[in-house]
Amino acid sequence: MSASRMPRTFGASTTAAEVVDGVDLHGRRAVVTGASSGIGVETARALATAGADVTLAVRDTAAAAGVVARLEAELPTGAGKLTVKRIDLADRSTVAAFAADWHGPLDILVNNAGVMSPPQIARTADGREWQFGVNHLGHFALTTSLHRALAAADGARVVAVSSIGHLFSPVVFDDLDYRFRPYDPWTSYGQSKTAVALFAVGAAERWAGDGIAVNAVMPGNVGATSLGRNMDPQQVAAVIASGDLALPPEKTVEQGAATSVLMAASPTVEGVTGQYYEDCAQAKPVAERAGAVAGVAPYALDQENAARLWTLSETFVR
């Protein structure tokens, strides 16, 4: 992943296109989950612009086909090839089928798809709380199933898209699926995004010898996505009014994709693994949620938490 020219600095206002300016990904293969809308589209666009062949791994293949048609009309000459394949992260059979159908090395995997805060509890087919099941377990199953393909690449990178929402909750190991405590859309979302960050920590520890870098990212406050489609607007307004939800400044979709693309493709982060990035920089630790609009909680980078979650996740996806 070489670059002939790079912007002097990356930050909160950097776009994905700026990150890949001068980066050469020809001959590389990438998978981006949830690439039928929002940040996923811009992530796929940037990687393809740099020359990577990108597979859009999506639940809605018709929507993704429309995205491909639009991108192909907009991408520069010499851009990488775009392909659509179906995957439903709540359905382990589709995850297994996707991985079984992958042949050859995989250079870049961006675990971008996600769901957020439905007002009532929902569960996956195998009984897991929906957000934990999709955001974490679905991607855990996919990435571990693709481990051999990642190891076969020369310096593969995995990007796990987390969120500042992880500050709402650590992983509550004794009640992952809200069988005993009352369901709450915010703590359940927070737990799932903490799990995503811990996956990066655990995978980085286990796969360093395979040359695989795994990092978590926070895209930013990006309003123009479909992530909040299951949320109750009145409930969101009430949480914001209460002061329990602090949000960083809003970003465009192009800016929101930048940190994912940085960790997926930029030579400036070569060798970085097991970290949590936001605004195209390593996040600073925070000691409490109140008022925080940036940063990472220590529990989301804790090695013991990561090891415990990995062991449990392996049993859940067997």
Side-chain angles (χ1 to χ4, degrees):
M1 300 179 188
S2 60
S4 58
R5 61 191 184 281
M6 303 292 290
R8 291 182 181 177
T9 59
F10 296 131
S13 62
T14 299
T15 66
E18 290 172 334
V19 170
V20 295
D21 183 30
V23 174
D24 183 5
L25 297 179
H26 287 90
R28 305 279 178 160
R29 303 168 75 202
V31 170
V32 181
T33 67
S36 59
S37 65
I39 293 171
V41 173
E42 294 308 314
T43 301
R45 180 202 300 273
L47 297 176
T49 296
D53 292 333
V54 183
T55 297
L56 284 65
V58 300
R59 188 168 53 87
D60 187 344
T61 55
V67 167
V68 167
R70 174 165 58 87
L71 290 181
E72 287 179 338
E74 298 169 352
L75 287 170
T77 301
K81 179 183 176 183
L82 299 173
T83 304
V84 174
K85 288 189 178 181
R86 187 176 185 275
I87 191 170
D88 181 349
L89 294 165
D91 182 346
R92 288 212 306 270
S93 67
T94 72
V95 175
F98 183 97
D101 192 47
W102 186 270
H103 302 286
L106 174 59
D107 302 280
I108 298 167
L109 172 60
V110 183
N111 290 333
N112 167 82
V115 294
M116 184 178 185
S117 301
Q120 305 298 323
I121 193 165
R123 300 193 185 278
T124 62
D126 53 350
R128 307 259 72 98
E129 189 277 317
W130 189 52
Q131 295 180 91
F132 183 79
V134 172
N135 296 343
H136 169 59
L137 288 177
H139 279 127
F140 179 90
L142 175 65
T143 311
T144 53
S145 296
L146 291 171
H147 171 249
R148 185 172 298 177
L150 291 162
D154 180 15
R157 297 190 188 184
V158 177
V159 180
V161 179
S162 183
S163 167
I164 193 172
H166 82 274
L167 298 179
F168 276 108
S169 178
V171 172
V172 180
F173 288 100
D174 292 327
D175 191 19
L176 292 169
D177 296 308
Y178 287 80
R179 299 289 184 183
F180 297 93
R181 54 189 166 138
Y183 171 74
D184 177 80
W186 299 104
T187 60
S188 57
Y189 179 69
Q191 172 178 255
S192 75
K193 288 302 186 177
T194 295
V196 168
L198 288 173
F199 167 76
V201 174
E205 173 72 18
R206 285 163 177 77
W207 297 349
D210 298 315
I212 304 170
V214 190
N215 292 284
V217 302
M218 152 63 173
N221 174 20
V222 183
T225 74
S226 61
L227 180 61
R229 62 189 177 275
N230 299 295
M231 297 166 62
D232 181 338
Q234 292 183 335
Q235 195 175 54
V236 176
V239 172
I240 292 175
S242 72
D244 284 343
L245 177 62
L247 293 174
E250 190 165 346
K251 290 185 178 186
T252 66
V253 177
E254 294 81 4
Q255 292 168 336
T259 307
S260 291
V261 173
L262 178 86
M263 305 315 291
S266 176
T268 64
V269 292
E270 190 75 39
V272 175
T273 191
Q275 303 301 317
Y276 180 103
Y277 269 59
E278 62 187 354
D279 294 338
C280 294
Q282 188 170 343
K284 296 179 180 179
V286 294
E288 60 180 24
R289 188 181 80 203
V293 295
V296 59
Y299 55 70
L301 295 177
D302 184 85
Q303 292 278 358
E304 291 186 5
N305 287 347
R308 184 178 182 185
L309 179 63
W310 191 283
T311 300
L312 283 171
S313 300
E314 284 184 322
T315 66
F316 293 158
V317 303
R318 246 174 228 162

